[in-house]
Amino acid sequence: MEKTGITLSGVAADFISTLIPQQKARTKSRIAFVSVAIEIHFNWQLAKETTLNVAGMVREMLPQDHYDLVVADEPFQDHLALKAFLDDAAHGGLDGVILCHSAYTTGEVASQLGTWLAKHQTPIFSLAMPEPMGNGLNLQANRLCSQNFVLGILNSLGVKYQWQFSDPKDPKVGRDIQSFARVCRALGYLRGKKALIAGASRVPGFYDCEVNEIAILKTLELGFDRVNLVDITARMAEFRGEDVAEIKRQILSSEDCKFNNVPQDQIEDTIRLALALMVVAREGDYVAVSFKNWPELFDHFKIAGDGAMALMNDQGLVVADEADTGAMITMLLFKELMSDGSELATIPMLSDISYLSGDGELLGVWHNGSAATCLRNPATGYECRKHGILENYDEETAWGMLFEFLVKPGPVTIAKYQAPSIDSVLAFEGEIVPSDMKFRGTYGEVIPAGYTAAQIVGTIMDKGLDHHWIVGRGHFLNDLQVLNYWLGVESIEVSNAGASCGFGG
């Protein structure tokens, strides 16, 4: 996974963090390491040495502050002993299993493993490796056949698996095991958690922002609470005026702040809304929020929620605007994969695809200003603006506040799990490049990798895909593909020739 170069802090983020409840400490993700072999047929000493050596390599691959690797020091040749070990490991919560084929095994061991995995629905990574041969050495472990034998039984039992036959020192082994572990950690973290739909419903007519909550429960074991907007806005008065004033001072006095046209009271209302939403999210231990930020905020409170969401995203509290719950789930999955669970994750941003260059090479990602301010391009800074869409309608009566800025150039991954059941996704990588600001709000221009922008936009139109797209920093398409495999999500292939026309349906 290619790391991102984003190093900026969010605007006033350090001070804001002192005013809200802190995130509950996360537990480590537990991964079990087991090995299989049989003593009577092959070199038992070699099998034991292989088990310890590979376990040590795997331990070095997984950061100890995120993972608890539970290791069986000897290969299993008794199926009941294997079951007892897995049962014991599962008592502390088990997010994944790494299986080492140290030597050939028995059908009883393989079938016990398969039935346990089928019952516990735990992802498994099967690793076998070439063995010492030549110079008069005969087959001492029969590892390749062991892997074939075991995986055949798992398949017959309806168990999904990942596999690799490689020397553990090969860099691709570390890459794939780390990717597997990141996905296991993300899925394990979400089980039994809840997300918040703030405002209790979607915005008018945004049908592709709905999700099938039962389908999401089946796929991610993630539930939802719906809280009315007044239950959030009622808490805006809880915060001290001097704290709100300090946040406002830091926002407007930053050397990166290039312009402000927002009345003082609207800035303060935006800050209070941000703090209220963050407190509600942290008190409820919600992993993410989708926020119905209009029309009620516009019509009844004279607030644009975008600036509030930007400040919230800067705290690592994922929030998607326009109550797009599918976008929120995509952002949440992105955050988990991008950060390996770190609280200091770079937060992805919600966007529309709003521009296609005439040569079909560039696409523009834009939204009204809810992106985390840490994503800003330091070369151009940010502006504090009234809501751009409202200001286009009537500059005098528009209200704010939102942060307007160009996004920092660099590698990105873009995707959207499709409404309402997140059972399909189009994903691609690319590069945000320097550009002018073409739309009011948050904007960046992307050169996709592997396809032209016209081919991607054409496929979106052909397939009638959702209108929001999530932009994550760095290249992690491989991790997404692993995640999609374990979720049973269909990958939508780019299929349009890039002629900016086609036939849908």
PDB file of all heavy atoms in Angstrom, residues 124-141:
ATOM      1  N   ILE A 124      -9.326 -16.720   6.326  1.00  0.00           N
ATOM      2  CA  ILE A 124      -8.110 -17.525   6.462  1.00  0.00           C
ATOM      3  C   ILE A 124      -7.181 -17.271   5.277  1.00  0.00           C
ATOM      4  O   ILE A 124      -7.628 -17.128   4.134  1.00  0.00           O
ATOM      5  CB  ILE A 124      -8.433 -19.028   6.589  1.00  0.00           C
ATOM      6  CG1 ILE A 124      -7.139 -19.837   6.796  1.00  0.00           C
ATOM      7  CG2 ILE A 124      -9.218 -19.535   5.393  1.00  0.00           C
ATOM      8  CD1 ILE A 124      -7.360 -21.278   7.200  1.00  0.00           C
ATOM      9  N   PHE A 125      -5.879 -17.210   5.577  1.00  0.00           N
ATOM     10  CA  PHE A 125      -4.831 -17.054   4.572  1.00  0.00           C
ATOM     11  C   PHE A 125      -3.961 -18.304   4.629  1.00  0.00           C
ATOM     12  O   PHE A 125      -3.322 -18.575   5.648  1.00  0.00           O
ATOM     13  CB  PHE A 125      -3.996 -15.813   4.861  1.00  0.00           C
ATOM     14  CG  PHE A 125      -3.030 -15.437   3.773  1.00  0.00           C
ATOM     15  CD1 PHE A 125      -3.302 -14.386   2.917  1.00  0.00           C
ATOM     16  CD2 PHE A 125      -1.843 -16.133   3.601  1.00  0.00           C
ATOM     17  CE1 PHE A 125      -2.421 -14.030   1.910  1.00  0.00           C
ATOM     18  CE2 PHE A 125      -0.946 -15.796   2.598  1.00  0.00           C
ATOM     19  CZ  PHE A 125      -1.234 -14.735   1.753  1.00  0.00           C
ATOM     20  N   SER A 126      -3.938 -19.062   3.538  1.00  0.00           N
ATOM     21  CA  SER A 126      -3.169 -20.312   3.452  1.00  0.00           C
ATOM     22  C   SER A 126      -1.828 -20.028   2.776  1.00  0.00           C
ATOM     23  O   SER A 126      -1.788 -19.519   1.656  1.00  0.00           O
ATOM     24  CB  SER A 126      -3.968 -21.342   2.642  1.00  0.00           C
ATOM     25  OG  SER A 126      -3.133 -22.358   2.137  1.00  0.00           O
ATOM     26  N   LEU A 127      -0.729 -20.376   3.474  1.00  0.00           N
ATOM     27  CA  LEU A 127       0.621 -20.146   2.959  1.00  0.00           C
ATOM     28  C   LEU A 127       1.410 -21.450   2.936  1.00  0.00           C
ATOM     29  O   LEU A 127       1.569 -22.111   3.960  1.00  0.00           O
ATOM     30  CB  LEU A 127       1.355 -19.119   3.833  1.00  0.00           C
ATOM     31  CG  LEU A 127       2.826 -18.848   3.475  1.00  0.00           C
ATOM     32  CD1 LEU A 127       2.938 -18.229   2.085  1.00  0.00           C
ATOM     33  CD2 LEU A 127       3.480 -17.951   4.522  1.00  0.00           C
ATOM     34  N   ALA A 128       1.881 -21.796   1.756  1.00  0.00           N
ATOM     35  CA  ALA A 128       2.810 -22.922   1.617  1.00  0.00           C
ATOM     36  C   ALA A 128       4.027 -22.426   0.854  1.00  0.00           C
ATOM     37  O   ALA A 128       3.972 -21.413   0.151  1.00  0.00           O
ATOM     38  CB  ALA A 128       2.148 -24.093   0.891  1.00  0.00           C
ATOM     39  N   MET A 129       5.130 -23.151   1.004  1.00  0.00           N
ATOM     40  CA  MET A 129       6.377 -22.667   0.417  1.00  0.00           C
ATOM     41  C   MET A 129       7.188 -23.818  -0.155  1.00  0.00           C
ATOM     42  O   MET A 129       7.022 -24.980   0.264  1.00  0.00           O
ATOM     43  CB  MET A 129       7.203 -21.912   1.474  1.00  0.00           C
ATOM     44  CG  MET A 129       7.703 -22.746   2.637  1.00  0.00           C
ATOM     45  SD  MET A 129       6.384 -23.357   3.749  1.00  0.00           S
ATOM     46  CE  MET A 129       5.687 -21.820   4.323  1.00  0.00           C
ATOM     47  N   PRO A 130       8.063 -23.532  -1.136  1.00  0.00           N
ATOM     48  CA  PRO A 130       8.946 -24.587  -1.654  1.00  0.00           C
ATOM     49  C   PRO A 130       9.794 -25.164  -0.517  1.00  0.00           C
ATOM     50  O   PRO A 130      10.041 -24.507   0.491  1.00  0.00           O
ATOM     51  CB  PRO A 130       9.812 -23.844  -2.672  1.00  0.00           C
ATOM     52  CG  PRO A 130       9.029 -22.624  -3.045  1.00  0.00           C
ATOM     53  CD  PRO A 130       8.276 -22.234  -1.807  1.00  0.00           C
ATOM     54  N   GLU A 131      10.234 -26.390  -0.690  1.00  0.00           N
ATOM     55  CA  GLU A 131      11.008 -27.037   0.356  1.00  0.00           C
ATOM     56  C   GLU A 131      12.394 -27.412  -0.157  1.00  0.00           C
ATOM     57  O   GLU A 131      12.629 -27.434  -1.383  1.00  0.00           O
ATOM     58  CB  GLU A 131      10.296 -28.291   0.844  1.00  0.00           C
ATOM     59  CG  GLU A 131      10.020 -29.308  -0.251  1.00  0.00           C
ATOM     60  CD  GLU A 131       9.060 -30.378   0.212  1.00  0.00           C
ATOM     61  OE1 GLU A 131       7.843 -30.181   0.059  1.00  0.00           O
ATOM     62  OE2 GLU A 131       9.546 -31.396   0.719  1.00  0.00           O
ATOM     63  N   PRO A 132      13.362 -27.669   0.756  1.00  0.00           N
ATOM     64  CA  PRO A 132      14.725 -28.005   0.312  1.00  0.00           C
ATOM     65  C   PRO A 132      14.730 -29.284  -0.519  1.00  0.00           C
ATOM     66  O   PRO A 132      14.189 -30.313  -0.100  1.00  0.00           O
ATOM     67  CB  PRO A 132      15.483 -28.203   1.629  1.00  0.00           C
ATOM     68  CG  PRO A 132      14.645 -27.541   2.671  1.00  0.00           C
ATOM     69  CD  PRO A 132      13.237 -27.647   2.211  1.00  0.00           C
ATOM     70  N   MET A 133      15.313 -29.195  -1.710  1.00  0.00           N
ATOM     71  CA  MET A 133      15.418 -30.375  -2.581  1.00  0.00           C
ATOM     72  C   MET A 133      16.733 -30.283  -3.346  1.00  0.00           C
ATOM     73  O   MET A 133      17.420 -29.266  -3.319  1.00  0.00           O
ATOM     74  CB  MET A 133      14.232 -30.454  -3.544  1.00  0.00           C
ATOM     75  CG  MET A 133      12.893 -30.672  -2.856  1.00  0.00           C
ATOM     76  SD  MET A 133      11.530 -30.909  -4.012  1.00  0.00           S
ATOM     77  CE  MET A 133      11.954 -32.506  -4.701  1.00  0.00           C
ATOM     78  N   GLY A 134      17.072 -31.346  -4.040  1.00  0.00           N
ATOM     79  CA  GLY A 134      18.325 -31.385  -4.780  1.00  0.00           C
ATOM     80  C   GLY A 134      19.450 -31.931  -3.925  1.00  0.00           C
ATOM     81  O   GLY A 134      19.307 -32.175  -2.733  1.00  0.00           O
ATOM     82  N   ASN A 135      20.608 -32.121  -4.533  1.00  0.00           N
ATOM     83  CA  ASN A 135      21.783 -32.674  -3.836  1.00  0.00           C
ATOM     84  C   ASN A 135      21.441 -33.974  -3.116  1.00  0.00           C
ATOM     85  O   ASN A 135      21.873 -34.214  -1.984  1.00  0.00           O
ATOM     86  CB  ASN A 135      22.357 -31.655  -2.838  1.00  0.00           C
ATOM     87  CG  ASN A 135      22.880 -30.408  -3.529  1.00  0.00           C
ATOM     88  OD1 ASN A 135      23.478 -30.504  -4.608  1.00  0.00           O
ATOM     89  ND2 ASN A 135      22.655 -29.252  -2.922  1.00  0.00           N
ATOM     90  N   GLY A 136      20.632 -34.802  -3.759  1.00  0.00           N
ATOM     91  CA  GLY A 136      20.280 -36.095  -3.196  1.00  0.00           C
ATOM     92  C   GLY A 136      19.116 -36.069  -2.243  1.00  0.00           C
ATOM     93  O   GLY A 136      18.703 -37.129  -1.747  1.00  0.00           O
ATOM     94  N   LEU A 137      18.529 -34.866  -1.935  1.00  0.00           N
ATOM     95  CA  LEU A 137      17.390 -34.782  -1.021  1.00  0.00           C
ATOM     96  C   LEU A 137      16.110 -35.154  -1.742  1.00  0.00           C
ATOM     97  O   LEU A 137      15.813 -34.646  -2.818  1.00  0.00           O
ATOM     98  CB  LEU A 137      17.260 -33.368  -0.447  1.00  0.00           C
ATOM     99  CG  LEU A 137      18.299 -32.939   0.599  1.00  0.00           C
ATOM    100  CD1 LEU A 137      18.066 -31.481   0.984  1.00  0.00           C
ATOM    101  CD2 LEU A 137      18.213 -33.836   1.829  1.00  0.00           C
ATOM    102  N   ASN A 138      15.348 -36.049  -1.153  1.00  0.00           N
ATOM    103  CA  ASN A 138      14.021 -36.361  -1.653  1.00  0.00           C
ATOM    104  C   ASN A 138      12.998 -35.429  -1.030  1.00  0.00           C
ATOM    105  O   ASN A 138      13.314 -34.623  -0.150  1.00  0.00           O
ATOM    106  CB  ASN A 138      13.662 -37.822  -1.330  1.00  0.00           C
ATOM    107  CG  ASN A 138      14.532 -38.793  -2.094  1.00  0.00           C
ATOM    108  OD1 ASN A 138      14.877 -38.546  -3.245  1.00  0.00           O
ATOM    109  ND2 ASN A 138      14.901 -39.888  -1.438  1.00  0.00           N
ATOM    110  N   LEU A 139      11.733 -35.571  -1.432  1.00  0.00           N
ATOM    111  CA  LEU A 139      10.644 -34.767  -0.891  1.00  0.00           C
ATOM    112  C   LEU A 139      10.550 -34.999   0.621  1.00  0.00           C
ATOM    113  O   LEU A 139      10.376 -36.124   1.068  1.00  0.00           O
ATOM    114  CB  LEU A 139       9.346 -35.179  -1.580  1.00  0.00           C
ATOM    115  CG  LEU A 139       8.176 -34.203  -1.537  1.00  0.00           C
ATOM    116  CD1 LEU A 139       8.510 -32.923  -2.301  1.00  0.00           C
ATOM    117  CD2 LEU A 139       6.934 -34.851  -2.136  1.00  0.00           C
ATOM    118  N   GLN A 140      10.680 -33.934   1.400  1.00  0.00           N
ATOM    119  CA  GLN A 140      10.690 -34.061   2.849  1.00  0.00           C
ATOM    120  C   GLN A 140       9.421 -33.561   3.527  1.00  0.00           C
ATOM    121  O   GLN A 140       9.214 -33.838   4.705  1.00  0.00           O
ATOM    122  CB  GLN A 140      11.874 -33.277   3.437  1.00  0.00           C
ATOM    123  CG  GLN A 140      13.234 -33.755   2.979  1.00  0.00           C
ATOM    124  CD  GLN A 140      14.324 -32.975   3.663  1.00  0.00           C
ATOM    125  OE1 GLN A 140      14.666 -33.226   4.826  1.00  0.00           O
ATOM    126  NE2 GLN A 140      14.884 -31.989   2.956  1.00  0.00           N
ATOM    127  N   ALA A 141       8.598 -32.783   2.784  1.00  0.00           N
ATOM    128  CA  ALA A 141       7.430 -32.181   3.431  1.00  0.00           C
ATOM    129  C   ALA A 141       6.164 -32.277   2.579  1.00  0.00           C
ATOM    130  O   ALA A 141       5.067 -32.342   3.123  1.00  0.00           O
ATOM    131  CB  ALA A 141       7.713 -30.719   3.764  1.00  0.00           C
TER     132      ALA A 141
END
